[in-house]
Amino acid sequence: MALPAMRSRETLSRWDPFREFGDLNRWFDTLAGRLDEAPRPWSPSADVSETDKQYVFEVELPGVKREDITVDLTGNRLAVTGELKEQEREGVFRRRTRRTGRFSYRVLLPRGVDGDAIEASLEDGVLTVRVPKSDPERPRRIEITAK
């Protein structure tokens, strides 16, 4: 006895085992979004170089305006903080990978820097902070006098 053939108007598609993982990731993202409403600060990428006279920090901040960036020096701690504001958009996001919101880059400077002569400039989305080294203290001879 032959079994009847089942026919359907839908086309057959291959089973993709990773499709369920994508659905699961979207579910976790929505759940995490509901539990953690406050956006977390992110840390921008930065290059640090040293010359004989200074330390140079190049922090990538594309799309951030100069007035939205703060550079602070407290003791020997250098902090670059600010916010990348989100642009108004129409429609629904289908995929979002760019970062927005508060950011923070912090670094502990070595001893022997001149905190009063630090310079910062923003050009082409790169914040360059130049921290000059202070002159090394030279030993000096103290003359001993008799009383």
Side-chain angles (χ1 to χ4, degrees):
M1 175 163 138
L3 295 174
M6 299 291 290
R7 297 190 190 265
S8 172
R9 293 182 186 192
E10 297 177 17
T11 60
L12 293 176
S13 63
R14 298 190 121 201
W15 176 67
D16 183 10
F18 298 107
R19 182 176 25 216
E20 281 80 21
F21 286 119
D23 295 340
L24 189 62
N25 283 340
R26 281 191 294 279
W27 183 79
F28 279 126
D29 289 343
T30 57
L31 179 65
R34 290 185 192 136
L35 294 177
D36 186 16
E37 291 295 328
R40 294 183 180 153
W42 51 278
S43 184
S45 299
D47 291 336
V48 180
S49 60
E50 178 182 4
T51 65
D52 292 338
K53 296 184 179 186
Q54 67 184 352
Y55 297 98
V56 179
F57 299 88
E58 295 175 320
V59 184
E60 288 186 355
L61 297 171
V64 182
K65 296 179 182 173
R66 184 173 20 129
E67 55 269 11
D68 294 333
I69 302 171
T70 304
V71 180
D72 293 317
L73 179 68
T74 306
N76 63 340
R77 297 175 192 266
L78 180 71
V80 176
T81 58
E83 183 175 8
L84 177 57
K85 296 181 180 174
E86 188 171 337
Q87 299 173 357
E88 293 290 327
R89 300 186 190 267
E90 292 184 20
V92 178
F93 276 110
R94 296 294 180 198
R95 183 173 180 106
R96 186 176 198 165
T97 58
R98 296 187 334 178
R99 293 181 174 181
T100 58
R102 305 274 319 151
F103 62 85
S104 174
Y105 175 79
R106 299 177 189 276
V107 65
L108 190 63
L109 297 174
R111 294 179 189 211
V113 297
D114 187 3
D116 295 329
I118 295 177
E119 297 176 354
S121 62
L122 181 67
E123 186 177 337
D124 295 331
V126 177
L127 175 71
T128 303
V129 180
R130 298 180 187 283
V131 181
K133 295 179 180 179
S134 60
D135 291 330
E137 294 183 18
R138 296 184 187 132
R140 47 182 204 152
R141 186 158 295 183
I142 310 295
E143 186 177 330
I144 303 172
T145 59
K147 283 195 170 191

